[in-house]
Amino acid sequence: MTEPEPFGARLRSAMDTRGPLCVGIDPHASLLRDWGLDDDVAGLERFSRTTVEALADRVAVLKPQSAFFERFGSRGVAVLEKTVAEARAAGALVLMDAKRGDIGSTMSAYAAAFLDPAGPLFSDALTVSPYLGFGALAPAVEAATAAGAGLFVLALTSNPEGREVQRAAGADGATVAATVLRHLAESNAGARPLGSFGAVVGATLGDLSAFELGVNGPLLAPGIGAQGATPADLPAVFGSAARNVVPSVSRGVLRHGPTTTGLRDSAARFADQVREAVG
């Protein structure tokens, strides 16, 4: 049986050919209204399908936020399944933004939901939370490795509340965030051209030179656009790791819908600005 190509290699190729940009699919009620859609399952489906049709053949990564689909129950999850399948079929890598994190059999079940190639929600990568201990993520790491998928682990998030956990120091003096980054570097050791296990690091955080961001894996950087960061900020925040940054933009692109042209032009502008900033 042929081993699947690792997510890190597929992501590196997609970033090099399509540009290093991740566009979120975040069907906020307010965005649905802005698009002239009702805040219901029909509006959700129209919003998601339009975004996929506009962008899945040209951006590196699409990132559906599962909460905005789950809020409609089983019918919303059915739309999410279709969104994932159609985006992957059109050539985008799909990062499921679900931020799952638990222990034992429960973590295994989360991994099966999103990282089993036979499952209807199978995604190229999944966001996960390490705050029950990085080792508790082992079932997801194993499932991702077997499927050629990836993980993005919360490390230095852009929300101000995150500091009380992520910047807290343990008995060894290392912060929680530094410990997460160290584990990621160990998980990616020897991977070429890029490891499959990345960190979530906010683009709005300013100078992060105190942290070792060179984990040989991708760095998902939310905060570009509506949250105030710009592509030009990336080198100052990420330093020598900037080439491995996957800037994540949601409202900054989505507010230019519902026209296909508006979405494509906005995404292209961001991609060009990122290329110019990080080289």
Side-chain angles (χ1 to χ4, degrees):
M1 184 176 178
T2 305
E3 291 289 323
E5 185 178 12
F7 171 72
R10 294 188 290 125
L11 178 61
R12 179 80 273 161
S13 176
M15 292 168 67
D16 290 346
T17 56
R18 295 184 170 203
L21 188 68
C22 168
V23 177
I25 304 179
D26 294 8
H28 295 264
S30 59
L31 270 174
L32 294 178
R33 289 193 296 271
D34 289 346
W35 281 31
L37 301 172
D38 292 330
D39 185 22
D40 57 16
V41 173
L44 175 74
E45 185 165 17
R46 178 70 177 274
F47 181 96
S48 303
R49 177 169 293 167
T50 298
T51 305
V52 169
E53 289 177 349
L55 300 176
D57 65 344
R58 60 196 62 218
V59 301
V61 182
L62 285 177
K63 181 175 67 67
Q65 168 48 260
S66 66
F68 292 111
F69 295 82
E70 293 174 36
R71 68 193 181 101
F72 292 105
S74 60
R75 293 176 66 200
V77 173
V79 175
L80 180 58
E81 292 175 0
K82 187 179 299 185
T83 299
V84 170
E86 291 178 352
R88 297 190 74 237
L93 297 175
V94 171
L95 167 57
M96 182 63 70
D97 195 357
K99 299 183 179 69
R100 298 302 198 251
D102 215 305
I103 61 172
S105 59
T106 307
M107 192 67 238
S108 295
Y110 282 138
F114 299 106
L115 299 171
D116 181 349
L121 284 169
F122 174 66
S123 302
D124 297 284
L126 172 69
T127 58
V128 292
S129 170
Y131 300 121
L132 289 173
F134 193 92
L137 298 176
V141 172
E142 293 165 5
T145 300
L151 299 175
F152 284 90
V153 184
L154 302 179
L156 288 158
T157 58
S158 56
N159 64 305
E161 302 90 346
R163 295 181 66 94
E164 67 184 52
V165 174
Q166 296 156 13
R167 311 271 181 141
D172 61 356
T175 63
V176 171
T179 300
V180 169
L181 293 168
R182 175 176 57 81
H183 282 301
L184 287 170
E186 292 169 353
S187 299
N188 290 323
R192 295 291 182 272
L194 187 67
S196 296
F197 303 106
V200 179
V201 179
T204 57
L205 296 178
D207 182 6
L208 293 175
S209 58
F211 295 93
E212 179 49 68
L213 300 179
V215 300
N216 191 32
L219 302 171
L220 182 70
I224 302 290
Q227 293 184 47
T230 70
D233 296 325
L234 296 175
V237 177
F238 293 94
S240 61
R243 184 172 180 269
N244 293 334
V245 169
V246 187
S248 179
V249 183
S250 296
R251 284 170 291 173
V253 169
L254 298 175
R255 65 185 179 85
H256 293 282
T259 67
T260 296
T261 299
L263 293 168
R264 288 177 174 173
D265 288 350
S266 178
R269 283 194 298 272
F270 275 111
D272 288 344
Q273 290 168 8
V274 172
R275 285 192 191 97
E276 183 177 348
V278 304

